Amino acid sequence: MRTQVGIIGGGPSGLLLSQLLHLQGVSSVVLERRSRAHVLGRIRAGVLEQGFQNLMRQAGIARRMDREGQIHSGVNIAFYEERLRIDLEGLTGGKTVMVYGQTEVTHDLYEARDALDGAVIDEAENVTPHDLQSDAPYLTFTKDGAEERLDCDFVIGCDGFHGISRRCVPSDVLQTFERVYPFGWLGVLSETPPVNEELIYARHDSGFALCSLRGPQLSRYYVQVKADESPDGWSDERFWERLKSAIPAEVAARLVTGPAVEKSVAPLRSFVAEPLRWGRLFLAGDAAHIVPPTGAKGLNLAASDIQYLSSALIDWYKKGEAGGLDGYSARALARVWKAERFSWWMTSLLHRFPENEGFGDRIQRAEFDYLAGSKAAQTMLAENYVGLPY
Ligand code: RFL
Ligand code: PHB
């Protein structure tokens, strides 16, 4: 088999890249380790920046997103019993975010790839890149028990944090920067009306909580738990009690509870790998960097990587220009680090840090009071939350 661009990973990064390349006449094949049902069953992000939305429109996949996505012009921070609304639209000169689940984004991407006969090979096992430092790299993999080979010009690692592509870069080339937080998020999806029409990020005695949503009858809630905690120890009753203790009493009083239709724990981590290119291998999305979900930046960062990389590949194929590819790593990392900073800051403001009570709690209180009283601080939050420019 031969294609121009071999893409490892059929999450949002890989699918979006293959769609954008296809529309410009560049061929690609996506190799995904899991089944399609598994990929479509994952519940993750919910908040899309305008840059992400525009990329979906550019890729011709925005019809359902524009119909069903909800525009949010503000976001709320609750600190114990106090509540602060950040006027995203007013503070950023008209910018907003959209609430539309990653599950729906992935569904729309698969549908678009299918409609154009896009090559997405699922359940591709043992994907292994070869000759990445040559002009003729290739990938080997196993499909239905048979050994396959895919020859290509470039290999793009879109295979998430646990993928193999980043591990192909020699350790004397790749530098990694990491912070693992001493807690995770327990997320619950419930078929109940959301407690609030806008998101509420909350800090209370029991730690962090987030009230988010997917639709008028579908809510998404998170509470802070220990990093290694199993969701099995959390009955629905225990979850709702914890959530109520982590949000202001007036919000808890109108919370509608119900059975959880999904429950999972995600660890929190900040991670960046540098550089994002090694020979003919390029890294994008979670394969290259992880942010804690507090700033809603992970999927949105994947989109800016893909925007830079798709235009660089198109320039290479259409105009024979290598500048975009040569500059990709530095360009993408400049935006990545700003999102890392913001996500770390939101995480630090809103979680209970068990090892840092006392001084740390007072600093969080001071940070919240400063935010509540300073338009400059609120503008900082707003312009990062809606997304820094590409
Ligand atoms: P993905 O989605 O992890 O997809 C990678 C794909 O690669 C496959 N794969 C392999 N395929 C072939 N061979 C291998 N060896 C492979 N190894 C792995 C995997 O099966 C998978 O299909 O990475 P991608 O495409 O870069 O997308 C990144 C986003 O998924 C991620 O950043 C976001 O979900 C993060 N995130 C959020 N981002 C936001 O922008 N806004 C949010 O509100 C937000 N909330 C969240 C989040 C992530 C969460 N979790 C569970 C980590 C909330 C949560 C709880
Ligand atoms: C979500 O709705 O799943 C969500 C929203 C905002 C975040 C993280 C997750 O910061």
Side-chain angles (χ1 to χ4, degrees):
M1 232 187 304
R2 166 146 190 101
T3 190
Q4 289 172 308
V5 180
I7 300 174
I8 311 176
S13 301
L15 295 171
L16 197 49
L17 179 62
S18 70
Q19 176 76 1
L20 290 165
L21 293 177
H22 185 123
L23 296 180
Q24 296 296 323
V26 177
S27 68
S28 66
V29 172
V30 176
L31 301 178
E32 164 60 46
R33 185 176 56 175
R34 313 299 295 249
S35 68
R36 184 174 290 208
H38 179 93
V39 174
L40 289 173
R42 290 194 289 231
I43 296 173
R44 289 182 168 182
V47 177
L48 308 181
E49 297 172 358
Q50 282 178 348
F52 188 103
Q53 299 162 40
N54 289 338
L55 208 53
M56 291 285 279
R57 291 180 191 117
Q58 189 185 323
I61 327 170
R63 198 161 342 136
R64 191 163 74 101
M65 179 192 83
D66 280 328
R67 199 175 57 232
E68 294 177 16
Q70 300 169 49
I71 298 296
H72 284 218
S73 58
V75 66
N76 300 271
I77 310 285
F79 201 79
Y80 294 82
E81 292 302 316
E82 287 168 65
R83 217 167 116 186
L84 170 67
R85 179 174 188 269
I86 306 292
D87 176 8
L88 298 173
E89 193 168 18
L91 291 164
T92 61
K95 294 198 177 128
T96 56
V97 292
M98 180 187 276
V99 171
Y100 186 67
Q102 179 172 336
T103 315
E104 309 311 318
V105 168
T106 312
H107 182 277
D108 296 347
L109 281 162
Y110 266 118
E111 207 171 75
R113 294 314 297 127
D114 288 349
L116 295 174
D117 288 329
V120 182
I121 301 178
D122 55 16
E123 299 183 77
E125 292 169 50
N126 307 316
V127 176
T128 311
H130 303 268
D131 292 356
L132 292 167
Q133 289 292 84
S134 80
D135 289 348
Y138 64 98
L139 293 157
T140 52
F141 61 99
T142 315
K143 173 71 183 168
D144 298 330
E147 280 292 316
E148 304 278 353
R149 173 176 167 140
L150 175 66
D151 288 283
C152 49
D153 303 323
F154 297 99
V155 172
I156 315 296
C158 294
D159 48 350
F161 183 66
H162 299 287
I164 40 103
S165 55
R166 189 178 64 248
R167 282 182 261 147
C168 297
V169 184
S171 56
D172 59 340
V173 175
L174 193 78
Q175 268 193 293
T176 59
F177 303 87
E178 184 167 34
R179 173 159 300 188
V180 178
Y181 301 89
F183 40 72
W185 283 13
L186 170 64
V188 155
L189 189 70
S190 116
E191 286 166 344
T192 48
V195 71
N196 200 58
E197 58 186 20
E198 289 179 349
L199 273 71
I200 305 177
Y201 291 82
R203 165 74 161 100
H204 215 295
D205 284 326
S206 62
F208 171 82
L210 170 60
C211 305
S212 183
L213 61 156
R214 291 289 181 276
Q217 279 301 323
L218 199 54
S219 302
R220 181 72 169 157
Y221 297 108
Y222 298 93
V223 295
Q224 174 177 350
V225 295
K226 292 200 202 86
D228 55 0
E229 205 143 329
S230 158
D232 300 340
W234 286 82
S235 64
D236 290 356
E237 293 67 31
R238 185 174 173 213
F239 177 81
W240 294 120
E241 278 316 303
R242 169 61 75 83
L243 178 63
K244 283 184 189 165
S245 74
I247 55 181
E250 49 99 10
V251 181
R254 51 193 166 79
L255 180 73
V256 180
T257 64
V261 292
E262 195 265 356
K263 209 182 270 168
S264 52
V265 174
L268 263 68
R269 180 194 307 272
S270 298
F271 175 89
V272 183
E274 296 182 357
L276 303 183
R277 176 191 190 169
W278 186 64
R280 290 286 177 119
L281 172 70
F282 290 81
L283 303 175
D286 277 16
H289 39 73
I290 295 288
V291 285
T294 327
K297 288 286 156 262
L299 179 61
N300 291 300
L301 268 189
S304 53
D305 286 357
I306 294 306
Q307 158 93 8
Y308 299 147
L309 196 50
S310 59
S311 60
L313 286 164
I314 290 160
D315 281 352
W316 196 85
Y317 281 109
K318 292 262 163 110
K319 303 183 200 152
E321 286 174 8
L325 291 174
D326 292 341
Y328 166 70
S329 181
R331 192 177 177 204
L333 283 168
R335 190 170 191 275
V336 165
W337 274 112
K338 288 183 200 143
E340 291 284 346
R341 184 207 70 83
F342 176 65
S343 306
W344 161 84
W345 176 79
M346 283 277 281
T347 304
S348 309
L349 172 67
L350 292 168
H351 289 76
R352 192 168 157 237
F353 285 74
E355 82 289 2
N356 197 20
E357 282 167 354
F359 183 83
D361 288 353
R362 290 292 194 280
I363 292 289
Q364 280 179 337
R365 158 57 66 188
E367 186 86 50
F368 178 79
D369 287 347
Y370 173 58
L371 188 62
S374 162
K375 190 176 175 194
Q378 290 178 27
T379 305
M380 183 284 284
L381 197 164
E383 69 185 7
N384 279 277
Y385 197 81
V386 300
L388 296 175
Y390 282 16

